[in-house]
Amino acid sequence: MSSSAPGTTPHYFVPQPSRHPAFAAFGLLFVIFGAANWINGVEWGRFLVLFGFLWLFAVLFQWFRDSIRESEGGVYGRKVDISFRWSMSWFIFSEVMFFGAFFTALWWMRGHSVPALGSVDNGLLWPDFKAVWPSAAPGATASPGNIIEPFQTMTPFWLPTINTALLLSSGVTLTIAHHLLRDGRRGSTILWMWVTVLLGATFVCVQGYEYFHAYHEMNLTLSSGAYGSTFFMLTGFHGFHVIVGMLMLLFITLRLMRGHFTPERHFGFEGAAWYWHFVDVVWLFLYTLVYWL
């Protein structure tokens, strides 16, 4: 449906009623209901989670397929392109606020909560407690009364620094691919996109090894007090966003191989690139505040 004459690019495209939102909600219902039972010890809960995710992925596949057909069919005009750009901008802004909340929690615990535990009143209860952040004093746990096991803190050398180099390099290769696409050099664009996807996948593998090392050799776990919880929440959610961004770039690469996108019209590429650069910037903040300070 559009407001333009037949045979022309619509001024604004209005899709027909779709089953996809309701079907996606149905799949999420099974995921949530199954997860709630699974974490409470009900064995069949995991099967509901699996069914829900499989259902959801099938729905998303069909939904994205329909959107790609609409895009390649030429029904998206300038107004739709503008709305897509605004939508992606607001989505990234919501992600900024999401990570901002976790960074604020880290600042509050380091600057207020832990020092408050070293007050005179608490000192009478826990005279041996060091009211300092664990990364600032070896052996400190930021938890009084020895309620958690001692652990080692994560330093920037060398895995986090390697990951920093990987992400920054992927930002460069993605920018190269974007310029090549704008110049109409599809083959070279695809090559640099595969390099970007490979760098993202390598980042995820390195972080997985870092987690294995933290759990088995440093005794640093999600339950290692305020330090452990903030470390794994920040790096874990960022890692999840890297995986999402990597999948976005992978699908964009596969679409490029099928002849999608032109030098003039390629917002799908640009939207994924915006998201990936956002992930890069978040990592720089995380690398500085979590690993160095």
PDB file of all heavy atoms in Angstrom, residues 20 23-24 28 53-67:
ATOM      1  N   HIS A  20       3.613 -11.860  11.589  1.00  0.00           N
ATOM      2  CA  HIS A  20       4.916 -12.043  12.229  1.00  0.00           C
ATOM      3  C   HIS A  20       4.989 -11.521  13.668  1.00  0.00           C
ATOM      4  O   HIS A  20       5.547 -12.211  14.534  1.00  0.00           O
ATOM      5  CB  HIS A  20       6.000 -11.388  11.375  1.00  0.00           C
ATOM      6  CG  HIS A  20       6.111 -11.969   9.998  1.00  0.00           C
ATOM      7  ND1 HIS A  20       6.056 -13.323   9.740  1.00  0.00           N
ATOM      8  CD2 HIS A  20       6.271 -11.363   8.778  1.00  0.00           C
ATOM      9  CE1 HIS A  20       6.188 -13.547   8.448  1.00  0.00           C
ATOM     10  NE2 HIS A  20       6.307 -12.372   7.838  1.00  0.00           N
ATOM     11  N   PHE A  23       3.229 -14.057  15.956  1.00  0.00           N
ATOM     12  CA  PHE A  23       3.945 -15.322  16.010  1.00  0.00           C
ATOM     13  C   PHE A  23       5.249 -15.188  16.798  1.00  0.00           C
ATOM     14  O   PHE A  23       5.636 -16.107  17.525  1.00  0.00           O
ATOM     15  CB  PHE A  23       4.238 -15.812  14.587  1.00  0.00           C
ATOM     16  CG  PHE A  23       3.088 -16.531  13.943  1.00  0.00           C
ATOM     17  CD1 PHE A  23       1.774 -16.216  14.278  1.00  0.00           C
ATOM     18  CD2 PHE A  23       3.309 -17.513  12.996  1.00  0.00           C
ATOM     19  CE1 PHE A  23       0.706 -16.865  13.682  1.00  0.00           C
ATOM     20  CE2 PHE A  23       2.253 -18.183  12.403  1.00  0.00           C
ATOM     21  CZ  PHE A  23       0.941 -17.850  12.741  1.00  0.00           C
ATOM     22  N   ALA A  24       5.930 -14.037  16.667  1.00  0.00           N
ATOM     23  CA  ALA A  24       7.152 -13.818  17.439  1.00  0.00           C
ATOM     24  C   ALA A  24       6.834 -13.748  18.937  1.00  0.00           C
ATOM     25  O   ALA A  24       7.570 -14.308  19.768  1.00  0.00           O
ATOM     26  CB  ALA A  24       7.843 -12.531  16.991  1.00  0.00           C
ATOM     27  N   LEU A  28       8.287 -16.055  22.062  1.00  0.00           N
ATOM     28  CA  LEU A  28       8.861 -15.484  23.281  1.00  0.00           C
ATOM     29  C   LEU A  28       8.124 -15.953  24.528  1.00  0.00           C
ATOM     30  O   LEU A  28       8.731 -16.114  25.594  1.00  0.00           O
ATOM     31  CB  LEU A  28       8.829 -13.954  23.194  1.00  0.00           C
ATOM     32  CG  LEU A  28       9.839 -13.318  22.241  1.00  0.00           C
ATOM     33  CD1 LEU A  28       9.581 -11.821  22.124  1.00  0.00           C
ATOM     34  CD2 LEU A  28      11.266 -13.564  22.716  1.00  0.00           C
ATOM     35  N   PHE A  53      12.841 -20.750  21.115  1.00  0.00           N
ATOM     36  CA  PHE A  53      13.884 -20.123  20.309  1.00  0.00           C
ATOM     37  C   PHE A  53      13.822 -20.589  18.854  1.00  0.00           C
ATOM     38  O   PHE A  53      13.992 -19.786  17.932  1.00  0.00           O
ATOM     39  CB  PHE A  53      15.261 -20.417  20.900  1.00  0.00           C
ATOM     40  CG  PHE A  53      15.688 -19.432  21.951  1.00  0.00           C
ATOM     41  CD1 PHE A  53      15.962 -19.849  23.248  1.00  0.00           C
ATOM     42  CD2 PHE A  53      15.817 -18.087  21.642  1.00  0.00           C
ATOM     43  CE1 PHE A  53      16.355 -18.937  24.218  1.00  0.00           C
ATOM     44  CE2 PHE A  53      16.210 -17.161  22.610  1.00  0.00           C
ATOM     45  CZ  PHE A  53      16.478 -17.593  23.903  1.00  0.00           C
ATOM     46  N   LEU A  54      13.596 -21.883  18.644  1.00  0.00           N
ATOM     47  CA  LEU A  54      13.486 -22.378  17.275  1.00  0.00           C
ATOM     48  C   LEU A  54      12.308 -21.724  16.555  1.00  0.00           C
ATOM     49  O   LEU A  54      12.400 -21.341  15.385  1.00  0.00           O
ATOM     50  CB  LEU A  54      13.339 -23.906  17.282  1.00  0.00           C
ATOM     51  CG  LEU A  54      14.573 -24.700  17.731  1.00  0.00           C
ATOM     52  CD1 LEU A  54      14.257 -26.185  17.790  1.00  0.00           C
ATOM     53  CD2 LEU A  54      15.750 -24.444  16.802  1.00  0.00           C
ATOM     54  N   TRP A  55      11.184 -21.604  17.269  1.00  0.00           N
ATOM     55  CA  TRP A  55      10.007 -20.949  16.694  1.00  0.00           C
ATOM     56  C   TRP A  55      10.308 -19.485  16.366  1.00  0.00           C
ATOM     57  O   TRP A  55       9.980 -18.993  15.293  1.00  0.00           O
ATOM     58  CB  TRP A  55       8.847 -21.054  17.676  1.00  0.00           C
ATOM     59  CG  TRP A  55       7.568 -20.394  17.220  1.00  0.00           C
ATOM     60  CD1 TRP A  55       7.255 -19.074  17.254  1.00  0.00           C
ATOM     61  CD2 TRP A  55       6.435 -21.050  16.626  1.00  0.00           C
ATOM     62  NE1 TRP A  55       6.015 -18.847  16.747  1.00  0.00           N
ATOM     63  CE2 TRP A  55       5.481 -20.041  16.355  1.00  0.00           C
ATOM     64  CE3 TRP A  55       6.129 -22.375  16.320  1.00  0.00           C
ATOM     65  CZ2 TRP A  55       4.242 -20.321  15.783  1.00  0.00           C
ATOM     66  CZ3 TRP A  55       4.895 -22.650  15.753  1.00  0.00           C
ATOM     67  CH2 TRP A  55       3.970 -21.645  15.487  1.00  0.00           C
ATOM     68  N   LEU A  56      10.966 -18.803  17.312  1.00  0.00           N
ATOM     69  CA  LEU A  56      11.279 -17.391  17.124  1.00  0.00           C
ATOM     70  C   LEU A  56      12.226 -17.193  15.944  1.00  0.00           C
ATOM     71  O   LEU A  56      12.040 -16.281  15.130  1.00  0.00           O
ATOM     72  CB  LEU A  56      11.892 -16.824  18.402  1.00  0.00           C
ATOM     73  CG  LEU A  56      12.293 -15.339  18.383  1.00  0.00           C
ATOM     74  CD1 LEU A  56      11.063 -14.461  18.160  1.00  0.00           C
ATOM     75  CD2 LEU A  56      12.982 -14.962  19.685  1.00  0.00           C
ATOM     76  N   PHE A  57      13.248 -18.036  15.834  1.00  0.00           N
ATOM     77  CA  PHE A  57      14.199 -17.904  14.729  1.00  0.00           C
ATOM     78  C   PHE A  57      13.512 -18.143  13.386  1.00  0.00           C
ATOM     79  O   PHE A  57      13.824 -17.476  12.397  1.00  0.00           O
ATOM     80  CB  PHE A  57      15.356 -18.886  14.911  1.00  0.00           C
ATOM     81  CG  PHE A  57      16.262 -18.540  16.058  1.00  0.00           C
ATOM     82  CD1 PHE A  57      16.954 -19.528  16.741  1.00  0.00           C
ATOM     83  CD2 PHE A  57      16.420 -17.218  16.470  1.00  0.00           C
ATOM     84  CE1 PHE A  57      17.783 -19.215  17.803  1.00  0.00           C
ATOM     85  CE2 PHE A  57      17.249 -16.889  17.530  1.00  0.00           C
ATOM     86  CZ  PHE A  57      17.934 -17.891  18.198  1.00  0.00           C
ATOM     87  N   ALA A  58      12.579 -19.107  13.354  1.00  0.00           N
ATOM     88  CA  ALA A  58      11.845 -19.364  12.115  1.00  0.00           C
ATOM     89  C   ALA A  58      10.999 -18.148  11.721  1.00  0.00           C
ATOM     90  O   ALA A  58      10.927 -17.770  10.547  1.00  0.00           O
ATOM     91  CB  ALA A  58      10.965 -20.604  12.276  1.00  0.00           C
ATOM     92  N   VAL A  59      10.369 -17.527  12.723  1.00  0.00           N
ATOM     93  CA  VAL A  59       9.553 -16.342  12.454  1.00  0.00           C
ATOM     94  C   VAL A  59      10.427 -15.194  11.965  1.00  0.00           C
ATOM     95  O   VAL A  59      10.097 -14.497  10.990  1.00  0.00           O
ATOM     96  CB  VAL A  59       8.763 -15.927  13.708  1.00  0.00           C
ATOM     97  CG1 VAL A  59       8.057 -14.586  13.491  1.00  0.00           C
ATOM     98  CG2 VAL A  59       7.744 -16.995  14.068  1.00  0.00           C
ATOM     99  N   LEU A  60      11.560 -14.969  12.636  1.00  0.00           N
ATOM    100  CA  LEU A  60      12.450 -13.883  12.232  1.00  0.00           C
ATOM    101  C   LEU A  60      12.992 -14.103  10.823  1.00  0.00           C
ATOM    102  O   LEU A  60      13.146 -13.139  10.055  1.00  0.00           O
ATOM    103  CB  LEU A  60      13.602 -13.762  13.233  1.00  0.00           C
ATOM    104  CG  LEU A  60      13.235 -13.265  14.634  1.00  0.00           C
ATOM    105  CD1 LEU A  60      14.459 -13.248  15.534  1.00  0.00           C
ATOM    106  CD2 LEU A  60      12.602 -11.879  14.581  1.00  0.00           C
ATOM    107  N   PHE A  61      13.273 -15.354  10.482  1.00  0.00           N
ATOM    108  CA  PHE A  61      13.752 -15.652   9.133  1.00  0.00           C
ATOM    109  C   PHE A  61      12.712 -15.230   8.097  1.00  0.00           C
ATOM    110  O   PHE A  61      13.041 -14.573   7.100  1.00  0.00           O
ATOM    111  CB  PHE A  61      14.048 -17.146   9.001  1.00  0.00           C
ATOM    112  CG  PHE A  61      14.435 -17.564   7.607  1.00  0.00           C
ATOM    113  CD1 PHE A  61      15.732 -17.380   7.144  1.00  0.00           C
ATOM    114  CD2 PHE A  61      13.494 -18.135   6.753  1.00  0.00           C
ATOM    115  CE1 PHE A  61      16.081 -17.755   5.858  1.00  0.00           C
ATOM    116  CE2 PHE A  61      13.839 -18.518   5.466  1.00  0.00           C
ATOM    117  CZ  PHE A  61      15.136 -18.327   5.019  1.00  0.00           C
ATOM    118  N   GLN A  62      11.461 -15.586   8.332  1.00  0.00           N
ATOM    119  CA  GLN A  62      10.402 -15.216   7.390  1.00  0.00           C
ATOM    120  C   GLN A  62      10.162 -13.707   7.381  1.00  0.00           C
ATOM    121  O   GLN A  62       9.934 -13.104   6.322  1.00  0.00           O
ATOM    122  CB  GLN A  62       9.111 -15.942   7.763  1.00  0.00           C
ATOM    123  CG  GLN A  62       9.199 -17.455   7.688  1.00  0.00           C
ATOM    124  CD  GLN A  62       7.928 -18.135   8.151  1.00  0.00           C
ATOM    125  OE1 GLN A  62       6.839 -17.854   7.651  1.00  0.00           O
ATOM    126  NE2 GLN A  62       8.043 -19.029   9.118  1.00  0.00           N
ATOM    127  N   TRP A  63      10.230 -13.105   8.551  1.00  0.00           N
ATOM    128  CA  TRP A  63      10.002 -11.655   8.661  1.00  0.00           C
ATOM    129  C   TRP A  63      11.082 -10.884   7.902  1.00  0.00           C
ATOM    130  O   TRP A  63      10.786  -9.979   7.123  1.00  0.00           O
ATOM    131  CB  TRP A  63       9.994 -11.272  10.133  1.00  0.00           C
ATOM    132  CG  TRP A  63       9.322  -9.970  10.443  1.00  0.00           C
ATOM    133  CD1 TRP A  63       9.004  -8.967   9.574  1.00  0.00           C
ATOM    134  CD2 TRP A  63       8.884  -9.528  11.733  1.00  0.00           C
ATOM    135  NE1 TRP A  63       8.391  -7.931  10.240  1.00  0.00           N
ATOM    136  CE2 TRP A  63       8.310  -8.253  11.568  1.00  0.00           C
ATOM    137  CE3 TRP A  63       8.928 -10.093  13.004  1.00  0.00           C
ATOM    138  CZ2 TRP A  63       7.790  -7.526  12.633  1.00  0.00           C
ATOM    139  CZ3 TRP A  63       8.409  -9.374  14.072  1.00  0.00           C
ATOM    140  CH2 TRP A  63       7.837  -8.108  13.890  1.00  0.00           C
ATOM    141  N   PHE A  64      12.334 -11.237   8.144  1.00  0.00           N
ATOM    142  CA  PHE A  64      13.432 -10.564   7.455  1.00  0.00           C
ATOM    143  C   PHE A  64      13.384 -10.837   5.951  1.00  0.00           C
ATOM    144  O   PHE A  64      13.696  -9.962   5.140  1.00  0.00           O
ATOM    145  CB  PHE A  64      14.775 -11.011   8.025  1.00  0.00           C
ATOM    146  CG  PHE A  64      15.007 -10.569   9.442  1.00  0.00           C
ATOM    147  CD1 PHE A  64      15.997 -11.159  10.218  1.00  0.00           C
ATOM    148  CD2 PHE A  64      14.242  -9.568  10.010  1.00  0.00           C
ATOM    149  CE1 PHE A  64      16.207 -10.754  11.532  1.00  0.00           C
ATOM    150  CE2 PHE A  64      14.441  -9.150  11.315  1.00  0.00           C
ATOM    151  CZ  PHE A  64      15.428  -9.749  12.082  1.00  0.00           C
ATOM    152  N   ARG A  65      12.988 -12.054   5.573  1.00  0.00           N
ATOM    153  CA  ARG A  65      12.875 -12.386   4.152  1.00  0.00           C
ATOM    154  C   ARG A  65      11.855 -11.483   3.461  1.00  0.00           C
ATOM    155  O   ARG A  65      12.109 -10.958   2.369  1.00  0.00           O
ATOM    156  CB  ARG A  65      12.471 -13.847   3.995  1.00  0.00           C
ATOM    157  CG  ARG A  65      12.315 -14.324   2.554  1.00  0.00           C
ATOM    158  CD  ARG A  65      11.605 -15.659   2.522  1.00  0.00           C
ATOM    159  NE  ARG A  65      10.270 -15.557   3.126  1.00  0.00           N
ATOM    160  CZ  ARG A  65       9.512 -16.618   3.410  1.00  0.00           C
ATOM    161  NH1 ARG A  65       9.978 -17.846   3.195  1.00  0.00           N
ATOM    162  NH2 ARG A  65       8.320 -16.453   3.937  1.00  0.00           N
ATOM    163  N   ASP A  66      10.718 -11.271   4.125  1.00  0.00           N
ATOM    164  CA  ASP A  66       9.694 -10.398   3.552  1.00  0.00           C
ATOM    165  C   ASP A  66      10.190  -8.960   3.442  1.00  0.00           C
ATOM    166  O   ASP A  66       9.934  -8.267   2.448  1.00  0.00           O
ATOM    167  CB  ASP A  66       8.422 -10.452   4.403  1.00  0.00           C
ATOM    168  CG  ASP A  66       7.726 -11.798   4.322  1.00  0.00           C
ATOM    169  OD1 ASP A  66       8.069 -12.594   3.424  1.00  0.00           O
ATOM    170  OD2 ASP A  66       6.837 -12.064   5.168  1.00  0.00           O
ATOM    171  N   SER A  67      10.914  -8.494   4.475  1.00  0.00           N
ATOM    172  CA  SER A  67      11.433  -7.121   4.447  1.00  0.00           C
ATOM    173  C   SER A  67      12.461  -6.945   3.338  1.00  0.00           C
ATOM    174  O   SER A  67      12.491  -5.912   2.655  1.00  0.00           O
ATOM    175  CB  SER A  67      12.054  -6.770   5.797  1.00  0.00           C
ATOM    176  OG  SER A  67      11.084  -6.795   6.827  1.00  0.00           O
TER     177      SER A  67
END
